[in-house]
Amino acid sequence: MGPVNEAHLQFCASDDWRQMVEELVIPAALGDIDLGDDVLEIGPGPGFTTDVVRTRVPQLTAVEIDTDLAASLTRRLAGTNVAVVRGDATALDLPADRFSGAISFNMLHHVPTPDGQDRIFAELARVLRRGARLVAADSAPRDQLDDFHRDDTWNPIDPASLPDRLTAAGFTGIEVGGYELGWTCTATAS
């Protein structure tokens, strides 16, 4: 993940963002999809998506690249059904075919290159069981977000590119949609 500016970090830790996650992001992306019993989240940041999803699944593993965010999340979620792993989603130190589902909410635009994003897709396909679902949502390219992302990593994914990119990574059954804040996507590990 690339750098994130201070205003962006403050917003991502705000009650406004928590409310947006709870009321817009998760309902639009996840709906009533059953992710199974052992779910992977990449890029939880401050853990707002983690807080919502962990109430819906028996076990959640959250992989966070930022040392401080991972440590904070580890302390806050100690004793819950969440295991926090400090790691890089482009090279997951996790076994193949382990997870029953995976999620990624509003973090892929922080990956500096399309190649890095594609490595994440490939890693997700590797660690998911055959038939497991990936659910993702992120910001679409928009001029209005350029200022918000000044001096941090802003590499939004064109949602029209997702079917080809996810197919190349090992997914099938790819469905891409849009909502108020950007795009949503589901895909099945093959």
Side-chain angles (χ1 to χ4, degrees):
M1 183 174 95
V4 177
N5 69 44
E6 189 60 33
H8 193 151
L9 284 173
Q10 288 176 5
F11 177 72
C12 288
S14 73
D15 288 337
D16 287 341
W17 179 240
R18 178 184 294 278
Q19 183 176 359
M20 291 171 79
V21 163
E22 292 173 355
E23 296 176 6
L24 296 173
V25 178
I26 301 247
L30 194 52
D32 61 358
I33 293 173
D34 181 0
L35 293 170
D37 62 347
D38 192 6
V39 178
L40 174 65
E41 177 180 20
I42 58 165
F48 293 162
T49 54
T50 311
D51 290 337
V52 174
V53 174
R54 75 183 183 90
T55 66
R56 298 173 61 158
V57 301
Q59 177 63 40
L60 181 62
T61 300
V63 175
E64 174 56 54
I65 196 168
D66 182 273
T67 302
D68 293 338
L69 289 172
S72 175
L73 206 54
T74 298
R75 284 189 301 276
R76 187 166 70 77
L77 295 175
T80 70
N81 64 330
V82 179
V84 179
V85 174
R86 170 35 193 104
D88 182 347
T90 65
L92 293 169
D93 188 18
L94 297 167
D97 305 316
R98 172 183 164 183
F99 294 97
S100 61
I103 57 173
S104 171
F105 298 125
N106 291 80
M107 68 72 63
L108 289 165
H109 69 266
H110 291 294
V111 179
T113 66
D115 180 61
Q117 294 165 339
D118 290 342
R119 287 196 317 269
I120 290 172
F121 294 147
E123 279 294 274
L124 289 170
R126 182 185 67 79
V127 300
L128 284 171
R129 300 173 196 158
R130 181 181 175 91
R133 303 289 298 277
L134 165 64
V135 177
D138 213 314
S139 301
R142 291 194 319 241
D143 291 341
Q144 306 94 299
L145 293 176
D146 288 347
D147 283 339
F148 180 68
H149 289 279
R150 186 175 315 278
D151 299 324
D152 73 13
T153 302
W154 173 231
N155 184 28
I157 294 174
D158 178 353
S161 72
L162 285 167
D164 288 342
R165 293 173 74 178
L166 288 167
T167 298
F171 287 96
T172 61
I174 300 155
E175 295 182 19
V176 179
Y179 78 117
E180 186 176 336
L181 299 178
W183 56 260
T184 63
C185 179
T186 60
T188 302
S190 53

